[in-house]
């Protein structure tokens, strides 16, 4: 098995079969956008985690201030609300993680087709995605 | 040398010269190149592991699910181990001659791991385990079997949800003002 230049490939699914140069160009574009999406999801997940941690620490600081002011037993509702918020936050992050894992494997399988155009699409898409997304990581 | 794709729905037969070796025991010429759902004659990683019935596929689904969950847990565990071992700071004090003939104690502070320390060796062993499991998961996904791929994805998501919960709480407490 080796890399070939070809206008015919079947990518991932039965219905995604390419026979012509136009179809190949479109497929390369789709794979490129998929790679850009993969890199942006990686950055997006890190930012979401950071924002969730910041908002949860603010919420817990407010919660401790409230419980210091009124030391009655009325602090059960805010605690469960905070926990519920954290649960939904974390569930959303887990779904994003599943999408990231699946897209990563799809890109691996696309490269496994051993079609050089598709390979270029994945590489260039990863480069473009990294170039666009990673500066956003340091911006707060 | 381009290989011609046949019009069959699932199987692609690569027409290379090496495929005419019937007497050599190479019976794995049919590699799926698109996603399919099935449980007949599914080879899984090793030569003895062949799935033929629905029950065996269910067992393989659970095993792959647990493997993907374990992989996510291993990643989180290595991160927390690394953070814990880097908290320890070593101080080295050594006497140096100072001015006027006095002896001064110079203290060096080193943060991080030594090469032969136990935490670093443990991290290396766990890294090898992580690399091997990640390649196994990649090979499982490469079977293009829909059930097994769903097991990998679901196991990764569940593992991330369960193990990263605790990690996020730790991050919440220990890292402030970032």
């Amino acid at each position: 098995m080796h890399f070939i230049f070809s206008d015919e490939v079947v990518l991932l699914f039965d219905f995604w079969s390419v026979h012509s140069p136009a179809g190949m160009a479109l497929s390369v574009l789709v794979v490129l956008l998929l790679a850009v999406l993969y890199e942006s999801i990686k950055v997006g997940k890190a930012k979401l985690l950071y924002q969730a941690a910041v908002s949860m620490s603010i919420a817990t600081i407010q919660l401790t201030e409230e419980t210091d002011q009124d030391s009655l037993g009325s602090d059960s509702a805010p605690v469960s609300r905070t926990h519920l918020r954290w649960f939904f936050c974390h569930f959303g992050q887990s779904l994003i993680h599943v999408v990231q894992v699946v897209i990563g494997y799809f890109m691996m399988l696309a490269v496994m087709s051993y079609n050089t155009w598709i390979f270029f699409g994945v590489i260039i898409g990863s480069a473009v995605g990294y170039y666009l997304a990673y500066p956003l990581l340091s911006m707060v | 040398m381009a290989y011609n794709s046949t019009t069959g729905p699932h199987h692609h037969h690569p027409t290379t010269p090496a495929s005419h070796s019937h007497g050599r025991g190479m019976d794995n010429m049919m590699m799926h190149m698109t996603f399919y759902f099935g449980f007949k004659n599914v080879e899984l990683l090793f030569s003895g592991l062949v799935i033929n019935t629905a029950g065996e596929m269910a067992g393989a689904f659970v095993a792959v699910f647990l493997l993907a969950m374990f992989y996510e847990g291993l990643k989180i565990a290595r991160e927390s181990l690394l953070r814990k071992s880097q908290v320890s700071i070593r101080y080295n004090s050594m006497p140096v001659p100072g001015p006027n003939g006095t002896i001064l104690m110079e203290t060096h502070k080193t943060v991080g791991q030594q090469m032969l320390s136990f935490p670093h060796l443990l991290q290396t062993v766990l890294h090898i385990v992580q690399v091997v499991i990640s390649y196994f998961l990649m090979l499982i996904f490469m079977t293009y079997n829909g059930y097994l791929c769903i097991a990998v994805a679901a196991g990764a998501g569940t593992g991330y949800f369960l193990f990263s919960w605790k990690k996020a709480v730790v991050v919440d407490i220990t890292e402030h003002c970032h």
Side-chain angles (χ1 to χ4, degrees):
Chain A
M1 297 185 67
H2 51 273
F3 279 107
I4 53 171
F5 281 99
S6 166
D7 281 340
E8 289 193 5
V9 76
V10 180
L11 270 182
L12 293 176
F13 298 102
D14 286 328
F15 55 80
W16 195 353
S17 78
V18 182
H19 298 294
S20 61
M24 178 54 79
L26 188 63
S27 297
V28 170
L29 190 65
V30 170
V31 169
L32 201 146
L33 292 176
L34 207 63
V36 169
L37 182 68
Y38 178 70
E39 297 290 333
S40 4
I41 282 182
K42 279 204 285 192
V43 169
K45 200 170 71 150
K47 283 189 74 77
L48 261 179
L49 188 65
Y50 168 74
Q51 277 175 6
V54 165
S55 70
M56 291 313 292
S57 57
I58 289 176
T60 45
I61 287 172
Q62 287 174 348
L63 185 63
T64 48
E65 283 177 356
E66 284 170 17
T67 52
D68 281 343
Q69 285 172 1
D70 48 358
S71 56
L72 296 177
S74 64
D75 58 345
S76 58
V79 166
S80 61
R81 203 166 51 230
T82 310
H83 280 187
L84 197 63
R85 265 191 64 197
W86 172 244
F87 177 81
F88 280 126
C89 241
H90 197 58
F91 189 72
Q93 282 168 25
S94 301
L95 289 182
I96 294 177
H97 182 73
V98 172
V99 171
Q100 182 189 327
V101 164
V102 169
I103 292 184
Y105 278 123
F106 277 5
M107 278 167 44
M108 183 266 301
L109 291 174
V111 172
M112 218 179 79
S113 66
Y114 267 101
N115 189 298
T116 322
W117 302 120
I118 301 290
F119 180 65
F120 284 163
V122 169
I123 298 298
I124 294 177
S126 297
V128 168
Y130 181 88
Y131 182 72
L132 292 178
Y134 265 75
L136 302 176
L137 197 59
S138 52
M139 284 184 352
V140 178
Chain B
M1 197 169 82
Y3 81 90
N4 307 315
S5 57
T6 64
T7 53
H10 292 300
H11 306 306
H12 288 256
H13 301 264
T15 57
T16 58
S19 66
H20 295 298
S21 56
H22 294 287
R24 241 181 276 161
M26 268 178 50
D27 59 317
N28 197 15
M29 296 186 306
M30 297 195 305
M31 257 178 57
H32 291 273
M33 295 304 271
T34 53
F35 284 111
Y36 71 100
F37 282 97
F39 51 84
K40 295 258 184 298
N41 198 21
V42 177
E43 259 201 13
L44 193 59
L45 289 180
F46 299 105
S47 71
L49 256 55
V50 181
I51 299 170
N52 285 315
T53 67
E56 286 174 11
M57 178 54 84
F61 185 95
V62 171
V64 168
F65 185 87
L66 292 177
L67 188 69
M69 254 181 60
F70 176 72
Y71 176 70
E72 294 291 329
L74 183 63
K75 279 201 291 190
I76 307 285
R78 277 192 68 211
E79 272 180 48
S80 72
L81 262 178
L82 190 65
R83 202 177 304 128
K84 261 192 268 187
S85 72
Q86 276 176 350
V87 164
S88 61
I89 299 173
R90 291 189 303 120
Y91 288 95
N92 285 337
S93 303
M94 54 187 76
V96 291
N100 303 330
T102 56
I103 306 281
L104 299 175
M105 290 298 283
E106 197 177 88
T107 304
H108 296 273
K109 185 172 78 170
T110 49
V111 180
Q113 294 179 340
Q114 261 186 322
M115 292 280 286
L116 283 183
S117 64
F118 176 70
H120 188 54
L121 288 177
L122 183 63
Q123 280 282 333
T124 307
V125 168
L126 289 180
H127 178 75
I128 299 295
V129 173
Q130 184 180 327
V131 163
V132 167
I133 293 183
S134 76
Y135 274 121
F136 278 0
L137 289 175
M138 178 200 62
L139 290 171
I140 289 172
F141 212 93
M142 239 172 68
T143 62
Y144 270 107
N145 188 303
Y147 300 122
L148 298 178
C149 295
I150 290 176
V152 170
T158 313
Y160 178 86
F161 181 74
L162 289 178
F163 292 110
S164 191
W165 180 287
K166 194 162 169 296
K167 163 198 160 193
V169 170
V170 169
V171 164
D172 191 2
I173 292 175
T174 59
E175 293 185 351
H176 58 96
C177 302
H178 276 262

